[in-house]
Amino acid sequence: MQELFADSVPYQKQAGMATYLHPQTKILLTLATIIAALVFRNFYALGVFAIGSTFYMLSTKKYKAAALTYVFVMAMWVLSLFNIWLVSFIFPALWENLTLKSLAAPFLRVVISMNMVLGMALTMRVEQAQAALYSLHLPGMLTLPLTVMIRFIPAFVHDIKQVHQALRLRGYNLTPLSTFMHPYLVLRMAFVPLIFRALRTAEDLAVAAELKGIDHKEKPLELRHEKFSTADWTACALWGGCILAGVLLVQFTPEAVGPMSPKGQ
Amino acid sequence: MPYPGEGKITRSLLKNNIFLSKVQKHFEVRELVTIGTFAALLQTSSLLIALMTGGMNPLGLLLKNVVYTTLLLVALTKIGKFGTLTLFGFVASLFSIVAMGSGIILLLPKLLAAMFAEGVLKALGGYKSFFATAAGVLVFEFLSKGMGIGVSWLVNREQPAMIIMAGIFVAIGSIGSCVGIFTGKFFLKELRHAGIVRR
């Protein structure tokens, strides 16, 4: 059950700046950054947010998780480029209108989102997440599934590792080629165990929530009274700095990207 | 001691909202946890399938939709309460926005599609009937995809080639959704056998 929750190490002993932020600050910064990433279309402005969010993610000191995330996003980007190239044989105009910056913009948005979400998910405990969402006055039937979703990510990564190790022990190695060649085998040997484990995880999480007295109808009990600290104000100021830098970059490097932007705007 | 950031007016409004409090009491903690788990599982497995099958090619799309429909059918049958599909659609869309930074424009169409599908499901006999659940899932899938194309047309109407491509992808995905109903039925049989789903 231990692995289903954030580190049980005492709060003060956990290293990294992201750990010291108030849960509410983490949630609000994540949402605000994702909205900003959606609003900005300028490559350089998105680059500023990508650098800022990468520092935030790295401040959790979970370097392995960060490296895996970047490899994953990079692989997705390369695959999408490959697919666009394939589709361009049918619609040649699609490839001609593309620039490297316009292709990189969606990639940067995904990097920003993943940095912020993982930075939040890897440093927040269940009760902290629920208390923070509750204080935002969201109804309980939304806060509880959202809390579970945040905490499910590490549990699911753990499940994937276990299923992958089990497959390797039996002499199977999952690659894109093997998935193409043997989809039924992949469905049976990777997907089915994952569903079973996810259902078990859901059961475990539900029992744990009930035993801990977590309820969506009542105000969650606050075991540790969190206060806004200097770190929170510093993080908010840095975020404001990123917004300012983004706006200035849009003004001084008027280079719009994205499907809705007229060229040379 | 007042809770940090607690607004008395908003709290009293929430407390006095009879509809909301009834909806709150409608779901158990166990069911809400299952909804959260499955919503996260759906989105992450879609991403993994896209990666494992080399991006959005026809096979990847087909497989992604098969998995999506299967998981949705399992989750709805496991919980089996009115409003599950709507809550599930809404929570999954929220997760999609937060985790992948996309789909914010599709939140409202998805919610509307889920509400309509919920009505169809209820009219056909509710969650106790497999046929009604399967019909509800298919209505939700087709409606949300159709609305997605509509939104895509609004955003990319200057490039009709993109809309045609999106239409082809959606058509392939719809085949996957239909296949997903049968795999979902197979999964439910296995899960009932394992004692994980009791309905």
Side-chain angles (χ1 to χ4, degrees), chain A residues 137, chain B residues 5-17:
Chain A
H137 303 299
Chain B
E6 187 173 16
K8 283 178 186 170
I9 299 168
T10 324
R11 286 301 305 155
S12 67
L13 273 173
L14 278 174
K15 272 181 187 169
N16 294 331
N17 190 330

Side-chain angles (χ1 to χ4, degrees), chain A residues 165-183:
Chain A
Q165 280 171 0
L167 278 172
R168 290 196 73 174
L169 275 173
R170 296 181 70 178
Y172 294 100
N173 197 13
L174 273 185
T175 58
L177 187 68
S178 66
T179 314
F180 263 122
M181 300 302 285
H182 310 287

Side-chain angles (χ1 to χ4, degrees), chain A residues 34 38 72 76 83 91 94 113 117 131 134-135 137 140-141 149 152 156 176 180 191 195 199 203 210 216 259, chain B residues 3 5 7 11 23-24 27 30 36-37 41 51-52 54-56 59 67 71 78 91 95 98 101 156 162 165:
Chain A
I34 287 165
L38 287 172
F72 176 77
M76 287 290 286
N83 280 323
F91 300 106
L94 193 68
S113 300
V117 171
Y134 187 88
S135 65
H137 303 299
M141 61 176 184
M149 285 163 88
F152 179 71
F156 189 57
F180 263 122
F191 182 58
I195 288 191
L199 280 163
E203 293 276 331
E210 280 177 353
H216 61 292
Chain B
Y3 195 73
R11 286 301 305 155
V23 173
Q24 298 261 67
F27 288 105
R30 188 176 290 268
T37 312
L41 181 66
L51 189 69
M52 276 164 60
M56 282 295 139
L59 183 71
V67 169
L71 287 176
K78 187 168 167 63
V91 169
F95 182 75
V98 173
N156 296 309
M162 295 284 279
M165 280 307 296

